[in-house]
Amino acid sequence: MKIFLTSLLGVGFLVVLYLGQSHWNQQLQASAKSKPDHQSSTSTIDIKNTADQELLKLTNNWPASAVDQFKQSLQEDKPFTILFTGSPAIGSETEGSFPLIKEQLIKTFGEDHIHVELKTFDSTSTQLLYQKKQAEIVSVNADLIIFEPFILMNNGEVLIKDTLKNTTKIIEDIQANKPETSFILQPAYPLYQAKIYPRQVAELKKYAQDHELPYLDHWSSWPDSNKAELKDYFQPDLSTPNEKGNQVWSQYILQFLTNGASESE
């Protein structure tokens, strides 16, 4: 009788063990079937994040606030707007350095991630403020503004101390509407054998440093303004840069804005 009960208990134990193992195998199979979808979703997120990180590497020279705005634009899947503004010296949609810059920025960042706008005013900065045309800059609602503060148009018309005051006023008016808008300053193109203009540009560079604003010192890429070599970068009448001059100017800006990743063609 004792042997019979022992055998019966042994058989019962084996049955329980078998049923438990079968249930465990079923759970493993069900779990295995559910894994591919989850892994696919994670992979997609990783790829997207990797792409975003690559784009962010291009912004190493940008103001910190502009980088933050760009990150937010990527997260919200909306384009980041860069505005080039100032006098007509910076070019138009079809002429000058701007078309080269716009084309390469869109090519580098992708048109889904960046918009590049242009707004110029054929006036001094004093006239612009008197006519309240800074409102037109505000209307663009830009995230980052590359600002040529009418340094060439003001030459001979507006004292440099007033040019700098006007620069502050324009920046303040724009940031009053959108505080997170960032600024980068740049001068217009150099002039051959100019005397006062280079000193004004030097004051603008110092202003940028004092106000902790990035400054596009593209004059460092042009020949010395007192040397005849500079004339090779301008139209015959020396009125505006030629193709060679626009290439130098645009390439400097592109190198800065893309952390060296973009080359003008």
Side-chain angles (χ1 to χ4, degrees):
M1 185 66 177
K2 183 182 293 187
I3 295 174
F4 173 76
L5 289 174
T6 301
S7 300
L8 186 61
L9 287 173
V11 171
F13 173 76
L14 291 174
V15 169
V16 171
L17 183 63
Y18 171 78
L19 292 175
Q21 183 65 32
S22 297
H23 177 72
W24 176 248
N25 289 337
Q26 289 174 359
Q27 290 290 97
L28 286 178
Q29 291 174 0
S31 177
K33 289 179 180 179
S34 67
K35 281 185 178 180
D37 290 341
H38 177 70
Q39 291 175 333
S40 175
S41 176
T42 301
S43 177
T44 300
I45 292 173
D46 288 343
I47 291 172
K48 186 177 188 298
N49 287 341
T50 299
D52 289 353
Q53 288 300 322
E54 289 302 312
L55 289 174
L56 286 171
K57 289 179 182 178
L58 305 176
T59 67
N60 280 357
N61 297 323
W62 293 15
S65 56
V67 176
D68 289 341
Q69 285 296 301
F70 186 60
K71 288 179 182 177
Q72 185 175 338
S73 295
L74 290 174
Q75 291 171 352
E76 297 176 358
D77 198 24
K78 67 178 185 179
F80 179 93
T81 299
I82 298 178
L83 172 66
F84 286 75
T85 193
S87 72
I90 62 177
S92 68
E93 290 287 350
T94 57
E95 297 180 347
S97 61
F98 176 75
L100 301 172
I101 296 169
K102 179 177 181 178
E103 178 184 2
Q104 288 301 315
L105 284 178
I106 292 174
K107 181 178 178 181
T108 302
F109 285 93
E111 60 184 359
D112 292 337
H113 298 122
I114 199 167
H115 284 173
V116 184
E117 306 288 344
L118 173 70
K119 189 167 284 292
T120 61
F121 303 87
D122 191 11
S123 69
T124 66
S125 58
T126 299
Q127 291 168 339
L128 177 129
L129 286 171
Y130 178 77
Q131 297 168 357
K132 301 186 183 304
K133 287 191 174 181
Q134 68 270 36
E136 296 184 27
I137 304 175
V138 169
S139 67
V140 178
N141 199 38
D143 299 298
L144 173 62
I145 295 179
I146 314 300
F147 185 26
E148 183 273 305
F150 305 89
I151 191 74
L152 181 55
M153 292 289 292
N154 285 0
N155 180 38
E157 300 289 337
V158 180
L159 294 175
I160 185 60
K161 67 180 182 65
D162 293 323
T163 293
L164 300 180
K165 287 181 181 178
N166 292 344
T167 299
T168 298
K169 173 63 174 171
I170 292 169
I171 291 174
E172 288 177 347
D173 286 355
I174 293 168
Q175 290 184 329
N177 177 74
K178 185 176 181 180
E180 59 270 27
T181 297
S182 301
F183 282 82
I184 297 175
L185 298 184
Q186 68 160 331
Y189 48 78
L191 295 178
Y192 178 55
Q193 291 188 335
K195 302 301 181 184
I196 298 176
Y197 180 49
R199 296 203 295 269
Q200 295 170 330
V201 170
E203 285 294 317
L204 177 63
K205 181 177 180 179
K206 182 177 183 301
Y207 170 91
Q209 293 170 341
D210 291 344
H211 290 77
E212 298 183 342
L213 294 170
Y215 180 78
L216 295 172
D217 190 16
H218 61 84
W219 278 28
S220 62
S221 294
W222 300 73
D224 189 310
S225 62
N226 290 315
K227 294 184 178 179
E229 182 187 356
L230 181 66
K231 294 191 288 186
D232 295 336
Y233 293 73
F234 281 80
Q235 301 293 343
D237 62 358
L238 302 181
S239 59
T240 56
N242 57 20
E243 182 178 354
K244 188 175 183 180
N246 287 325
Q247 285 284 348
V248 167
W249 191 355
S250 62
Q251 187 60 30
Y252 182 97
I253 294 176
L254 287 167
Q255 288 286 319
F256 183 93
L257 292 179
T258 65
N259 196 28
S262 177
E263 294 185 0
S264 181
E265 295 177 351

